Amino acid sequence: MAKLGGLRNVVRQELVTRQLTEQLHARFGPDARLRVLDAGCGQGTQLLRLARAGHEVTGLDPDPGTLTAAQQALALEPLAVQARVRLLHGEGGDCGRWFGPASFDVVLCHGVLMYLPDPEPLLAALARVLAPGGLLSVLARNGDALALRPGLAGDWGAAVAAFDDAPGTNRLAYTNRLGLPTRADRRAVLARTLAELDVPVQAWFGVRVFTDQAADDAPLPPTPELSLLLDAEDRAGRTDPYRRVAALLHLVGMRP
């Protein structure tokens, strides 16, 4: 849990918050009160931020440990925020068990696709519960920059391997910092999948251009430096060619 306050996670959450808030305001206006599904909500960082902003948020996660952490974090919030949140144990791909078509104005799928062999079934299930005009926010590992992290760390074998799909597959495989086998998505492929699901990409961003090499437990710098760091990451995540080599891709699609 200590890693949640580390530099890499703070940069990820702060950048996604800025990008998502911008897209929500542009689509719905700053005063809208929306129905939100956070599929793979983890410890609830984005979920709680959206609930504090007045939205009705449902969090769904298959891991009992992270869901317990989200429940504990929720218990520290004011009662008005708690009343706007529902937490459920389950897989995002099974969301049809609880929700009918067009049940949500906004659906989040952050940091989930890299643990799945194929992203399409989950994305299809999430697109089904998205209302017309709604936004689908997807945060995935950037397959177009997969060699950058091992290359900058001097792991040349991993850097070379990162350029190629896994043998016999159409997938970019890698081992994450937890030692787990995972996969990455190329932006063009992910955008094509979303278009086929009738949720074409309206905007996309990079997340963690400059700080991806930081240790998981790297502490935060003093506030003035942190503010400048976040502004630099924010600008890079919106600007070519920098955003193309970010560790993570943030794609926002809209249902017509």
Side-chain angles (χ1 to χ4, degrees):
M1 296 295 292
K3 294 179 182 178
L4 294 179
L7 178 62
R8 294 174 76 253
N9 189 62
V10 167
V11 169
R12 166 184 158 167
Q13 299 293 355
E14 291 296 328
L15 266 289
V16 169
T17 295
R18 291 186 186 192
Q19 296 159 0
L20 183 60
T21 299
E22 172 188 282
Q23 294 300 305
L24 294 181
H25 287 182
R27 175 67 189 89
F28 301 104
D31 299 322
R33 295 296 177 259
L34 304 169
R35 303 165 298 164
V36 181
L37 172 64
D38 189 349
C41 64
Q43 293 86 1
T45 302
Q46 292 299 323
L47 176 150
L48 291 176
R49 292 182 180 190
L50 289 164
R52 291 179 197 129
H55 306 298
E56 299 287 335
V57 188
T58 298
L60 185 63
D61 202 280
D63 182 69
T66 54
L67 200 61
T68 296
Q71 291 167 336
Q72 292 171 343
L74 178 61
L76 300 176
E77 295 291 326
L79 292 178
V81 173
Q82 294 185 40
R84 291 193 286 270
V85 175
R86 177 168 56 154
L87 294 172
L88 298 172
H89 178 255
E91 301 278 354
D94 296 330
C95 61
R97 292 172 49 194
W98 297 284
F99 318 117
S103 294
F104 296 97
D105 306 301
V106 181
V107 175
L108 311 184
C109 180
H110 295 170
V112 176
L113 298 187
M114 58 272 289
Y115 297 106
L116 303 177
D118 183 356
E120 291 189 29
L122 172 59
L123 293 176
L126 298 181
R128 178 178 175 272
V129 300
L130 186 64
L135 297 184
L136 173 59
S137 171
V138 177
L139 188 70
R141 187 75 165 91
N142 184 6
D144 295 320
L146 199 56
L148 201 59
R149 182 189 294 174
L152 291 175
D155 186 348
W156 308 119
V160 170
F163 284 99
D164 301 316
D165 292 344
T169 75
N170 190 31
R171 303 187 183 99
L172 290 155
Y174 70 102
T175 300
N176 70 7
R177 290 193 177 194
L178 300 176
L180 299 175
T182 48
R183 46 169 295 283
D185 289 285
R186 297 191 188 277
R187 179 173 59 88
V189 176
L190 197 52
R192 184 168 64 246
T193 298
L194 292 174
E196 291 169 351
L197 294 171
D198 203 23
V199 192
V201 173
Q202 301 296 299
W204 74 276
F205 309 90
V207 175
R208 262 196 342 243
V209 174
F210 303 123
T211 54
D212 191 56
Q213 290 298 113
D216 287 338
D217 57 354
L220 299 181
T223 299
E225 182 180 348
L226 178 61
S227 179
L228 286 172
L229 182 157
L230 291 171
D231 287 346
E233 285 277 14
D234 184 40
R235 290 289 296 273
R238 301 168 182 273
T239 305
D240 289 326
Y242 304 102
R243 63 177 178 168
R244 297 179 182 273
V245 297
L248 303 169
L249 293 170
H250 183 197
L251 277 63
V252 181
M254 186 177 77
R255 168 77 79 196

